[in-house]
Amino acid sequence: MPPNLIEIFGCRNHRGSRVMFPLKWKGRTGKKPTRNRGRLSLQRASIAIDRLSRFRFFSASDYRALHDDLGMMDPAVHFIGYGGDERRKAAIPTHIARTLGILQAEPLAPYRGRKDAPQVLTIGVFVSSLSDPFLRETSYAIATLMRRAGHQIIMADEKSEIEERPRHCIYVAPHEFFFLGNGPAWVRDDVLIDACMYCTAPAHRSEFWHSLHVVLMGQSVITSSRPVAVAFSEVMPSINVIPSVVRDGTMPSETATLEHPLLSGQRWWEDAERPLDLYFFGSASPHRARFFAKHSDRLSNYDSFIYLKKSTSPNKTGGTHFAGAFPQVAQHIARHSRLLINVHRDEFPYFEWHRIVDQAMINGCVAVSEPCFLTPEFQPGIHYLEEETHRLVALAEWALNDADGRDMMAAIAAAGQAAIRDRRSERASAQMIADVLTT
């Protein structure tokens, strides 16, 4: 992080300077390009280089300033060939923040499918077998959305036979699919030329940049983040879609969910329809730890379920079987809670679909969130509540204790339920995906 960066959010680096947020990306690695051409040996690399040079989140000047071993090599060429795989930092945080702010207000160009495209597509929805359980939920949601629109769906992972993939494929969370397990074997020209990437990582996270060079080699992009979709749409077909939350029988039974160690032996949900006032269920981060530590006294006045999982710690809850059941546990808690407190992983806004929509809205729970990037389908004050971080608990207290607040909660819960069951919106989203797959 440059020592003269003095921005706004209150984290401090080892020099004592205020920094925007604590990214752990690599700066200067000391590595120099070798005779190994890396990703440049792929035919799709030239397309990715051209796209990256026009991609507004990437800063060639920042990249050259951060890495003094490029020599005469063009920054875009170096990042596609080597820097992405070396997880090099590609832009300073202020550039990313400024770009996000600008893109939020810009329109997203629509894409239309080919006129000769078949009415019913056979679509492969791929997700890594080693993916986070919540990302697998996203893949099921995309599959459900397209299946309900009449398309044929094949669910698969990186262990599937590459040659047997269908013509149209969506790769959910490319930062995991193409890099975990057998995923690297799929980074080949004949796969990437038709690949539709469902990007789930926010633009300010290192995961986004770790896979960007591969994403740019693909055919198209889907993302639930509108600013990210706008940025991609300037260089390749890209759409902003919130997936369906209609279940299709893939969920474990309630009995199996209650066997999870976080719920086993408890029966607090039998006391009332919604015995919990509020809950949070997610991974731990410094930002979240500071928030809950600061407000622990006020939150202790309410019946709550707050679970912060350290993603780097060993699994203490019974192995991979129980780890995979985390989404169902979160669903069960949401069904018995009045409010969801949505605290972002860091100081950057982001619309967390899996928490605000897939947990809260579908279960009649009201999300009270830090500010999110706007999404056309769901609006703050109508489908969820939104407030700045330092006033978030006060808003939750108003919603729980004040008569007007309780009325507002009832209206928002009803609006959320209506929005996620709007078949017109669902059909429009499915059509956009079909269009971008056949562009």
Side-chain angles (χ1 to χ4, degrees), residues 293-323:
K294 179 179 180 179
H295 298 291
S296 58
D297 285 345
R298 294 171 70 178
L299 294 175
S300 66
N301 295 322
Y302 300 92
D303 293 324
S304 59
F305 191 113
I306 297 174
Y307 179 67
L308 292 165
K309 179 184 181 296
K310 291 186 177 180
S311 58
T312 57
S313 66
N315 188 344
K316 304 288 187 181
T317 56
T320 56
H321 168 71
F322 286 125

Side-chain angles (χ1 to χ4, degrees), residues 126-137 139 158 172-177 180 323-324:
F126 290 80
V127 64
S128 173
S129 62
L130 301 174
S131 271
D132 179 282
F134 290 99
L135 292 178
R136 290 200 292 274
E137 287 290 288
S139 71
E158 86 288 356
V172 177
H175 67 278
E176 293 191 352
F177 181 85
L180 300 179

